[in-house]
PDB file of all heavy atoms in Angstrom:
ATOM      1  N   HIS A 449       1.822 -10.968   7.422  1.00  0.00           N
ATOM      2  CA  HIS A 449       0.507 -10.388   7.153  1.00  0.00           C
ATOM      3  C   HIS A 449      -0.371 -11.386   6.392  1.00  0.00           C
ATOM      4  O   HIS A 449      -1.534 -11.567   6.757  1.00  0.00           O
ATOM      5  CB  HIS A 449       0.605  -9.133   6.283  1.00  0.00           C
ATOM      6  CG  HIS A 449      -0.664  -8.599   5.715  1.00  0.00           C
ATOM      7  ND1 HIS A 449      -1.698  -8.251   6.554  1.00  0.00           N
ATOM      8  CD2 HIS A 449      -1.080  -8.484   4.440  1.00  0.00           C
ATOM      9  CE1 HIS A 449      -2.723  -7.826   5.794  1.00  0.00           C
ATOM     10  NE2 HIS A 449      -2.396  -7.941   4.575  1.00  0.00           N
ATOM     11  N   ALA A 450       0.169 -12.142   5.478  1.00  0.00           N
ATOM     12  CA  ALA A 450      -0.593 -13.166   4.854  1.00  0.00           C
ATOM     13  C   ALA A 450      -1.108 -14.148   5.830  1.00  0.00           C
ATOM     14  O   ALA A 450      -2.263 -14.583   5.807  1.00  0.00           O
ATOM     15  CB  ALA A 450       0.263 -13.900   3.748  1.00  0.00           C
ATOM     16  N   LYS A 451      -0.296 -14.547   6.769  1.00  0.00           N
ATOM     17  CA  LYS A 451      -0.660 -15.504   7.785  1.00  0.00           C
ATOM     18  C   LYS A 451      -1.784 -14.970   8.716  1.00  0.00           C
ATOM     19  O   LYS A 451      -2.692 -15.712   9.142  1.00  0.00           O
ATOM     20  CB  LYS A 451       0.484 -15.924   8.651  1.00  0.00           C
ATOM     21  CG  LYS A 451       1.532 -16.796   7.896  1.00  0.00           C
ATOM     22  CD  LYS A 451       2.734 -17.102   8.785  1.00  0.00           C
ATOM     23  CE  LYS A 451       3.808 -17.890   8.017  1.00  0.00           C
ATOM     24  NZ  LYS A 451       5.039 -18.084   8.811  1.00  0.00           N
ATOM     25  N   GLU A 452      -1.672 -13.670   9.064  1.00  0.00           N
ATOM     26  CA  GLU A 452      -2.660 -13.126   9.989  1.00  0.00           C
ATOM     27  C   GLU A 452      -4.041 -13.115   9.389  1.00  0.00           C
ATOM     28  O   GLU A 452      -5.062 -13.055  10.102  1.00  0.00           O
ATOM     29  CB  GLU A 452      -2.251 -11.729  10.524  1.00  0.00           C
ATOM     30  CG  GLU A 452      -2.354 -10.581   9.566  1.00  0.00           C
ATOM     31  CD  GLU A 452      -1.986  -9.248  10.168  1.00  0.00           C
ATOM     32  OE1 GLU A 452      -1.794  -9.177  11.396  1.00  0.00           O
ATOM     33  OE2 GLU A 452      -1.733  -8.323   9.393  1.00  0.00           O
ATOM     34  N   LEU A 453      -4.144 -13.059   8.060  1.00  0.00           N
ATOM     35  CA  LEU A 453      -5.416 -13.070   7.380  1.00  0.00           C
ATOM     36  C   LEU A 453      -5.798 -14.476   6.865  1.00  0.00           C
ATOM     37  O   LEU A 453      -6.812 -14.664   6.206  1.00  0.00           O
ATOM     38  CB  LEU A 453      -5.388 -12.110   6.185  1.00  0.00           C
ATOM     39  CG  LEU A 453      -5.277 -10.606   6.526  1.00  0.00           C
ATOM     40  CD1 LEU A 453      -5.375  -9.785   5.267  1.00  0.00           C
ATOM     41  CD2 LEU A 453      -6.292 -10.196   7.548  1.00  0.00           C
ATOM     42  N   GLY A 454      -4.927 -15.466   7.198  1.00  0.00           N
ATOM     43  CA  GLY A 454      -5.255 -16.855   6.835  1.00  0.00           C
ATOM     44  C   GLY A 454      -5.036 -17.116   5.331  1.00  0.00           C
ATOM     45  O   GLY A 454      -5.678 -18.018   4.780  1.00  0.00           O
ATOM     46  N   ASN A 455      -4.201 -16.365   4.679  1.00  0.00           N
ATOM     47  CA  ASN A 455      -3.907 -16.511   3.252  1.00  0.00           C
ATOM     48  C   ASN A 455      -2.650 -17.284   2.987  1.00  0.00           C
ATOM     49  O   ASN A 455      -1.738 -17.308   3.840  1.00  0.00           O
ATOM     50  CB  ASN A 455      -3.799 -15.146   2.531  1.00  0.00           C
ATOM     51  CG  ASN A 455      -5.086 -14.342   2.589  1.00  0.00           C
ATOM     52  OD1 ASN A 455      -6.171 -14.912   2.391  1.00  0.00           O
ATOM     53  ND2 ASN A 455      -4.972 -13.036   2.846  1.00  0.00           N
ATOM     54  N   GLU A 456      -2.586 -17.940   1.861  1.00  0.00           N
ATOM     55  CA  GLU A 456      -1.348 -18.690   1.504  1.00  0.00           C
ATOM     56  C   GLU A 456      -0.236 -17.719   1.111  1.00  0.00           C
ATOM     57  O   GLU A 456      -0.532 -16.615   0.672  1.00  0.00           O
ATOM     58  CB  GLU A 456      -1.637 -19.658   0.330  1.00  0.00           C
ATOM     59  CG  GLU A 456      -2.633 -20.779   0.636  1.00  0.00           C
ATOM     60  CD  GLU A 456      -2.852 -21.661  -0.547  1.00  0.00           C
ATOM     61  OE1 GLU A 456      -2.284 -21.406  -1.640  1.00  0.00           O
ATOM     62  OE2 GLU A 456      -3.619 -22.656  -0.397  1.00  0.00           O
ATOM     63  N   ILE A 457       0.948 -18.135   1.275  1.00  0.00           N
ATOM     64  CA  ILE A 457       2.119 -17.354   0.784  1.00  0.00           C
ATOM     65  C   ILE A 457       2.123 -17.486  -0.715  1.00  0.00           C
ATOM     66  O   ILE A 457       2.252 -18.596  -1.276  1.00  0.00           O
ATOM     67  CB  ILE A 457       3.455 -17.870   1.395  1.00  0.00           C
ATOM     68  CG1 ILE A 457       3.326 -17.871   2.920  1.00  0.00           C
ATOM     69  CG2 ILE A 457       4.554 -16.945   0.923  1.00  0.00           C
ATOM     70  CD1 ILE A 457       3.056 -16.568   3.610  1.00  0.00           C
ATOM     71  N   PRO A 458       2.060 -16.349  -1.486  1.00  0.00           N
ATOM     72  CA  PRO A 458       2.006 -16.455  -2.905  1.00  0.00           C
ATOM     73  C   PRO A 458       3.331 -16.820  -3.612  1.00  0.00           C
ATOM     74  O   PRO A 458       4.397 -16.453  -3.099  1.00  0.00           O
ATOM     75  CB  PRO A 458       1.492 -15.028  -3.347  1.00  0.00           C
ATOM     76  CG  PRO A 458       2.077 -14.169  -2.239  1.00  0.00           C
ATOM     77  CD  PRO A 458       2.026 -14.978  -0.994  1.00  0.00           C
ATOM     78  N   GLU A 459       3.220 -17.430  -4.729  1.00  0.00           N
ATOM     79  CA  GLU A 459       4.443 -17.722  -5.545  1.00  0.00           C
ATOM     80  C   GLU A 459       4.851 -16.480  -6.411  1.00  0.00           C
ATOM     81  O   GLU A 459       6.052 -16.311  -6.722  1.00  0.00           O
ATOM     82  CB  GLU A 459       4.183 -18.891  -6.457  1.00  0.00           C
ATOM     83  CG  GLU A 459       4.003 -20.251  -5.708  1.00  0.00           C
ATOM     84  CD  GLU A 459       3.854 -21.428  -6.635  1.00  0.00           C
ATOM     85  OE1 GLU A 459       3.979 -21.249  -7.860  1.00  0.00           O
ATOM     86  OE2 GLU A 459       3.570 -22.533  -6.128  1.00  0.00           O
ATOM     87  N   ASN A 460       3.867 -15.712  -6.770  1.00  0.00           N
ATOM     88  CA  ASN A 460       4.042 -14.450  -7.517  1.00  0.00           C
ATOM     89  C   ASN A 460       3.319 -13.350  -6.861  1.00  0.00           C
ATOM     90  O   ASN A 460       2.386 -13.590  -6.055  1.00  0.00           O
ATOM     91  CB  ASN A 460       3.501 -14.640  -8.956  1.00  0.00           C
ATOM     92  CG  ASN A 460       4.337 -15.585  -9.757  1.00  0.00           C
ATOM     93  OD1 ASN A 460       5.605 -15.444  -9.908  1.00  0.00           O
ATOM     94  ND2 ASN A 460       3.655 -16.569 -10.354  1.00  0.00           N
ATOM     95  N   PRO A 461       3.702 -12.118  -7.129  1.00  0.00           N
ATOM     96  CA  PRO A 461       2.905 -10.997  -6.544  1.00  0.00           C
ATOM     97  C   PRO A 461       1.453 -11.014  -6.850  1.00  0.00           C
ATOM     98  O   PRO A 461       1.063 -11.422  -7.937  1.00  0.00           O
ATOM     99  CB  PRO A 461       3.576  -9.797  -7.201  1.00  0.00           C
ATOM    100  CG  PRO A 461       4.978 -10.211  -7.570  1.00  0.00           C
ATOM    101  CD  PRO A 461       4.825 -11.646  -7.969  1.00  0.00           C
ATOM    102  N   VAL A 462       0.653 -10.734  -5.824  1.00  0.00           N
ATOM    103  CA  VAL A 462      -0.792 -10.670  -5.952  1.00  0.00           C
ATOM    104  C   VAL A 462      -1.146  -9.197  -6.315  1.00  0.00           C
ATOM    105  O   VAL A 462      -0.731  -8.294  -5.584  1.00  0.00           O
ATOM    106  CB  VAL A 462      -1.472 -11.085  -4.672  1.00  0.00           C
ATOM    107  CG1 VAL A 462      -3.019 -10.873  -4.818  1.00  0.00           C
ATOM    108  CG2 VAL A 462      -1.171 -12.502  -4.346  1.00  0.00           C
ATOM    109  N   ILE A 463      -1.817  -9.019  -7.435  1.00  0.00           N
ATOM    110  CA  ILE A 463      -2.058  -7.639  -7.984  1.00  0.00           C
ATOM    111  C   ILE A 463      -3.490  -7.238  -7.859  1.00  0.00           C
ATOM    112  O   ILE A 463      -4.415  -8.083  -8.244  1.00  0.00           O
ATOM    113  CB  ILE A 463      -1.624  -7.575  -9.446  1.00  0.00           C
ATOM    114  CG1 ILE A 463      -0.208  -8.112  -9.658  1.00  0.00           C
ATOM    115  CG2 ILE A 463      -1.745  -6.126  -9.959  1.00  0.00           C
ATOM    116  CD1 ILE A 463       0.877  -7.313  -8.971  1.00  0.00           C
ATOM    117  N   PHE A 464      -3.768  -6.027  -7.425  1.00  0.00           N
ATOM    118  CA  PHE A 464      -5.083  -5.418  -7.626  1.00  0.00           C
ATOM    119  C   PHE A 464      -4.834  -3.974  -7.929  1.00  0.00           C
ATOM    120  O   PHE A 464      -3.743  -3.432  -7.792  1.00  0.00           O
ATOM    121  CB  PHE A 464      -5.994  -5.664  -6.400  1.00  0.00           C
ATOM    122  CG  PHE A 464      -5.519  -5.103  -5.122  1.00  0.00           C
ATOM    123  CD1 PHE A 464      -5.855  -3.860  -4.715  1.00  0.00           C
ATOM    124  CD2 PHE A 464      -4.658  -5.845  -4.305  1.00  0.00           C
ATOM    125  CE1 PHE A 464      -5.402  -3.350  -3.480  1.00  0.00           C
ATOM    126  CE2 PHE A 464      -4.188  -5.307  -3.059  1.00  0.00           C
ATOM    127  CZ  PHE A 464      -4.560  -4.093  -2.694  1.00  0.00           C
ATOM    128  N   MET A 465      -5.911  -3.248  -8.256  1.00  0.00           N
ATOM    129  CA  MET A 465      -5.796  -1.844  -8.735  1.00  0.00           C
ATOM    130  C   MET A 465      -6.761  -0.967  -7.943  1.00  0.00           C
ATOM    131  O   MET A 465      -7.782  -1.449  -7.444  1.00  0.00           O
ATOM    132  CB  MET A 465      -6.151  -1.702 -10.238  1.00  0.00           C
ATOM    133  CG  MET A 465      -5.437  -2.726 -11.111  1.00  0.00           C
ATOM    134  SD  MET A 465      -3.739  -2.225 -11.518  1.00  0.00           S
ATOM    135  CE  MET A 465      -3.994  -0.960 -12.752  1.00  0.00           C
ATOM    136  N   LYS A 466      -6.380   0.263  -7.805  1.00  0.00           N
ATOM    137  CA  LYS A 466      -7.281   1.328  -7.331  1.00  0.00           C
ATOM    138  C   LYS A 466      -7.400   2.366  -8.433  1.00  0.00           C
ATOM    139  O   LYS A 466      -6.399   2.700  -9.094  1.00  0.00           O
ATOM    140  CB  LYS A 466      -6.741   1.986  -6.043  1.00  0.00           C
ATOM    141  CG  LYS A 466      -6.732   1.093  -4.778  1.00  0.00           C
ATOM    142  CD  LYS A 466      -6.088   1.857  -3.612  1.00  0.00           C
ATOM    143  CE  LYS A 466      -6.059   1.043  -2.375  1.00  0.00           C
ATOM    144  NZ  LYS A 466      -7.275   1.099  -1.603  1.00  0.00           N
ATOM    145  N   PRO A 467      -8.607   2.941  -8.633  1.00  0.00           N
ATOM    146  CA  PRO A 467      -8.724   4.088  -9.552  1.00  0.00           C
ATOM    147  C   PRO A 467      -8.112   5.323  -8.993  1.00  0.00           C
ATOM    148  O   PRO A 467      -7.858   5.421  -7.750  1.00  0.00           O
ATOM    149  CB  PRO A 467     -10.258   4.261  -9.710  1.00  0.00           C
ATOM    150  CG  PRO A 467     -10.811   3.747  -8.423  1.00  0.00           C
ATOM    151  CD  PRO A 467      -9.872   2.638  -7.992  1.00  0.00           C
ATOM    152  N   ASP A 468      -7.808   6.314  -9.800  1.00  0.00           N
ATOM    153  CA  ASP A 468      -7.208   7.539  -9.312  1.00  0.00           C
ATOM    154  C   ASP A 468      -8.149   8.306  -8.338  1.00  0.00           C
ATOM    155  O   ASP A 468      -7.673   9.117  -7.520  1.00  0.00           O
ATOM    156  CB  ASP A 468      -6.708   8.440 -10.446  1.00  0.00           C
ATOM    157  CG  ASP A 468      -7.816   8.836 -11.382  1.00  0.00           C
ATOM    158  OD1 ASP A 468      -9.009   8.488 -11.199  1.00  0.00           O
ATOM    159  OD2 ASP A 468      -7.472   9.511 -12.422  1.00  0.00           O
ATOM    160  N   THR A 469      -9.443   8.048  -8.433  1.00  0.00           N
ATOM    161  CA  THR A 469     -10.395   8.705  -7.496  1.00  0.00           C
ATOM    162  C   THR A 469     -10.308   8.124  -6.087  1.00  0.00           C
ATOM    163  O   THR A 469     -10.936   8.654  -5.209  1.00  0.00           O
ATOM    164  CB  THR A 469     -11.828   8.491  -8.013  1.00  0.00           C
ATOM    165  OG1 THR A 469     -12.019   7.095  -8.335  1.00  0.00           O
ATOM    166  CG2 THR A 469     -12.094   9.317  -9.288  1.00  0.00           C
ATOM    167  N   ALA A 470      -9.487   7.072  -5.921  1.00  0.00           N
ATOM    168  CA  ALA A 470      -9.253   6.528  -4.568  1.00  0.00           C
ATOM    169  C   ALA A 470      -8.374   7.399  -3.738  1.00  0.00           C
ATOM    170  O   ALA A 470      -8.333   7.308  -2.512  1.00  0.00           O
ATOM    171  CB  ALA A 470      -8.731   5.104  -4.672  1.00  0.00           C
ATOM    172  N   VAL A 471      -7.572   8.266  -4.379  1.00  0.00           N
ATOM    173  CA  VAL A 471      -6.609   9.077  -3.603  1.00  0.00           C
ATOM    174  C   VAL A 471      -7.305  10.104  -2.779  1.00  0.00           C
ATOM    175  O   VAL A 471      -8.187  10.881  -3.280  1.00  0.00           O
ATOM    176  CB  VAL A 471      -5.677   9.814  -4.632  1.00  0.00           C
ATOM    177  CG1 VAL A 471      -4.715  10.773  -3.805  1.00  0.00           C
ATOM    178  CG2 VAL A 471      -4.809   8.794  -5.352  1.00  0.00           C
ATOM    179  N   LEU A 472      -7.044  10.090  -1.474  1.00  0.00           N
ATOM    180  CA  LEU A 472      -7.656  11.048  -0.533  1.00  0.00           C
ATOM    181  C   LEU A 472      -6.955  12.400  -0.701  1.00  0.00           C
ATOM    182  O   LEU A 472      -5.712  12.445  -0.677  1.00  0.00           O
ATOM    183  CB  LEU A 472      -7.449  10.570   0.896  1.00  0.00           C
ATOM    184  CG  LEU A 472      -8.116  11.359   2.004  1.00  0.00           C
ATOM    185  CD1 LEU A 472      -9.667  11.257   1.925  1.00  0.00           C
ATOM    186  CD2 LEU A 472      -7.678  10.899   3.396  1.00  0.00           C
ATOM    187  N   LYS A 473      -7.718  13.436  -0.802  1.00  0.00           N
ATOM    188  CA  LYS A 473      -7.198  14.757  -0.996  1.00  0.00           C
ATOM    189  C   LYS A 473      -6.340  15.142   0.231  1.00  0.00           C
ATOM    190  O   LYS A 473      -6.671  14.885   1.345  1.00  0.00           O
ATOM    191  CB  LYS A 473      -8.318  15.779  -1.170  1.00  0.00           C
ATOM    192  CG  LYS A 473      -7.823  17.212  -1.394  1.00  0.00           C
ATOM    193  CD  LYS A 473      -8.999  18.153  -1.530  1.00  0.00           C
ATOM    194  CE  LYS A 473      -8.581  19.577  -1.767  1.00  0.00           C
ATOM    195  NZ  LYS A 473      -9.706  20.516  -1.894  1.00  0.00           N
ATOM    196  N   LYS A 474      -5.171  15.664  -0.107  1.00  0.00           N
ATOM    197  CA  LYS A 474      -4.245  16.020   0.973  1.00  0.00           C
ATOM    198  C   LYS A 474      -4.822  16.946   1.984  1.00  0.00           C
ATOM    199  O   LYS A 474      -5.489  17.880   1.640  1.00  0.00           O
ATOM    200  CB  LYS A 474      -2.941  16.655   0.388  1.00  0.00           C
ATOM    201  CG  LYS A 474      -1.966  15.585  -0.159  1.00  0.00           C
ATOM    202  CD  LYS A 474      -0.678  16.222  -0.647  1.00  0.00           C
ATOM    203  CE  LYS A 474       0.354  15.163  -0.972  1.00  0.00           C
ATOM    204  NZ  LYS A 474      -0.091  14.017  -1.653  1.00  0.00           N
ATOM    205  N   GLY A 475      -4.672  16.687   3.296  1.00  0.00           N
ATOM    206  CA  GLY A 475      -5.172  17.492   4.310  1.00  0.00           C
ATOM    207  C   GLY A 475      -6.604  17.078   4.727  1.00  0.00           C
ATOM    208  O   GLY A 475      -7.148  17.668   5.698  1.00  0.00           O
ATOM    209  N   SER A 476      -7.200  16.128   4.006  1.00  0.00           N
ATOM    210  CA  SER A 476      -8.545  15.760   4.369  1.00  0.00           C
ATOM    211  C   SER A 476      -8.583  14.648   5.410  1.00  0.00           C
ATOM    212  O   SER A 476      -7.664  13.895   5.561  1.00  0.00           O
ATOM    213  CB  SER A 476      -9.274  15.212   3.101  1.00  0.00           C
ATOM    214  OG  SER A 476      -9.356  16.196   2.121  1.00  0.00           O
ATOM    215  N   ASP A 477      -9.683  14.604   6.155  1.00  0.00           N
ATOM    216  CA  ASP A 477      -9.983  13.502   7.063  1.00  0.00           C
ATOM    217  C   ASP A 477     -10.465  12.288   6.222  1.00  0.00           C
ATOM    218  O   ASP A 477     -10.939  12.528   5.086  1.00  0.00           O
ATOM    219  CB  ASP A 477     -11.005  13.864   8.084  1.00  0.00           C
ATOM    220  CG  ASP A 477     -10.588  14.962   9.038  1.00  0.00           C
ATOM    221  OD1 ASP A 477      -9.393  15.213   9.143  1.00  0.00           O
ATOM    222  OD2 ASP A 477     -11.431  15.632   9.661  1.00  0.00           O
ATOM    223  N   PHE A 478     -10.336  11.094   6.788  1.00  0.00           N
ATOM    224  CA  PHE A 478     -10.903   9.955   6.186  1.00  0.00           C
ATOM    225  C   PHE A 478     -12.265   9.654   6.795  1.00  0.00           C
ATOM    226  O   PHE A 478     -12.330   9.525   8.025  1.00  0.00           O
ATOM    227  CB  PHE A 478      -9.986   8.719   6.314  1.00  0.00           C
ATOM    228  CG  PHE A 478     -10.569   7.423   5.847  1.00  0.00           C
ATOM    229  CD1 PHE A 478     -10.556   7.147   4.482  1.00  0.00           C
ATOM    230  CD2 PHE A 478     -11.176   6.504   6.670  1.00  0.00           C
ATOM    231  CE1 PHE A 478     -11.127   5.971   4.016  1.00  0.00           C
ATOM    232  CE2 PHE A 478     -11.714   5.382   6.183  1.00  0.00           C
ATOM    233  CZ  PHE A 478     -11.697   5.069   4.854  1.00  0.00           C
ATOM    234  N   TYR A 479     -13.238   9.533   5.949  1.00  0.00           N
ATOM    235  CA  TYR A 479     -14.645   9.224   6.434  1.00  0.00           C
ATOM    236  C   TYR A 479     -14.949   7.801   6.173  1.00  0.00           C
ATOM    237  O   TYR A 479     -14.840   7.285   5.041  1.00  0.00           O
ATOM    238  CB  TYR A 479     -15.628  10.149   5.707  1.00  0.00           C
ATOM    239  CG  TYR A 479     -15.571  11.545   6.268  1.00  0.00           C
ATOM    240  CD1 TYR A 479     -14.651  12.504   5.832  1.00  0.00           C
ATOM    241  CD2 TYR A 479     -16.497  12.022   7.236  1.00  0.00           C
ATOM    242  CE1 TYR A 479     -14.616  13.776   6.279  1.00  0.00           C
ATOM    243  CE2 TYR A 479     -16.466  13.286   7.732  1.00  0.00           C
ATOM    244  CZ  TYR A 479     -15.511  14.165   7.219  1.00  0.00           C
ATOM    245  OH  TYR A 479     -15.482  15.453   7.732  1.00  0.00           O
ATOM    246  N   ILE A 480     -15.335   7.077   7.187  1.00  0.00           N
ATOM    247  CA  ILE A 480     -15.709   5.656   7.047  1.00  0.00           C
ATOM    248  C   ILE A 480     -16.970   5.597   6.148  1.00  0.00           C
ATOM    249  O   ILE A 480     -17.950   6.206   6.416  1.00  0.00           O
ATOM    250  CB  ILE A 480     -16.009   5.050   8.470  1.00  0.00           C
ATOM    251  CG1 ILE A 480     -14.737   5.071   9.308  1.00  0.00           C
ATOM    252  CG2 ILE A 480     -16.546   3.636   8.294  1.00  0.00           C
ATOM    253  CD1 ILE A 480     -14.918   4.693  10.720  1.00  0.00           C
ATOM    254  N   PRO A 481     -16.867   4.787   5.067  1.00  0.00           N
ATOM    255  CA  PRO A 481     -17.964   4.704   4.158  1.00  0.00           C
ATOM    256  C   PRO A 481     -19.186   3.976   4.783  1.00  0.00           C
ATOM    257  O   PRO A 481     -19.026   3.140   5.654  1.00  0.00           O
ATOM    258  CB  PRO A 481     -17.421   3.973   2.942  1.00  0.00           C
ATOM    259  CG  PRO A 481     -16.301   3.209   3.491  1.00  0.00           C
ATOM    260  CD  PRO A 481     -15.736   4.012   4.636  1.00  0.00           C
ATOM    261  N   GLU A 482     -20.374   4.327   4.310  1.00  0.00           N
ATOM    262  CA  GLU A 482     -21.597   3.746   4.889  1.00  0.00           C
ATOM    263  C   GLU A 482     -21.787   2.265   4.603  1.00  0.00           C
ATOM    264  O   GLU A 482     -22.526   1.590   5.235  1.00  0.00           O
ATOM    265  CB  GLU A 482     -22.837   4.577   4.413  1.00  0.00           C
ATOM    266  CG  GLU A 482     -23.163   4.319   2.904  1.00  0.00           C
ATOM    267  CD  GLU A 482     -22.298   5.198   1.993  1.00  0.00           C
ATOM    268  OE1 GLU A 482     -21.442   5.940   2.467  1.00  0.00           O
ATOM    269  OE2 GLU A 482     -22.427   5.006   0.806  1.00  0.00           O
ATOM    270  N   PHE A 483     -21.036   1.796   3.598  1.00  0.00           N
ATOM    271  CA  PHE A 483     -21.255   0.380   3.172  1.00  0.00           C
ATOM    272  C   PHE A 483     -20.403  -0.635   3.907  1.00  0.00           C
ATOM    273  O   PHE A 483     -20.447  -1.827   3.608  1.00  0.00           O
ATOM    274  CB  PHE A 483     -21.058   0.215   1.638  1.00  0.00           C
ATOM    275  CG  PHE A 483     -19.672   0.709   1.217  1.00  0.00           C
ATOM    276  CD1 PHE A 483     -18.537   0.029   1.383  1.00  0.00           C
ATOM    277  CD2 PHE A 483     -19.589   1.944   0.544  1.00  0.00           C
ATOM    278  CE1 PHE A 483     -17.303   0.401   0.921  1.00  0.00           C
ATOM    279  CE2 PHE A 483     -18.409   2.381   0.050  1.00  0.00           C
ATOM    280  CZ  PHE A 483     -17.202   1.629   0.280  1.00  0.00           C
TER     281      PHE A 483
END
Side-chain angles (χ1 to χ4, degrees):
H449 171 59
K451 290 177 183 177
E452 75 179 345
L453 295 185
N455 295 319
E456 295 181 359
I457 306 300
E459 294 182 7
N460 291 306
V462 175
I463 308 295
F464 61 93
M465 310 280 282
K466 290 178 182 274
D468 57 6
T469 50
V471 175
L472 185 69
K473 183 178 178 181
K474 280 186 170 41
S476 298
D477 296 340
F478 174 80
Y479 285 81
I480 296 173
E482 70 281 356
F483 53 77

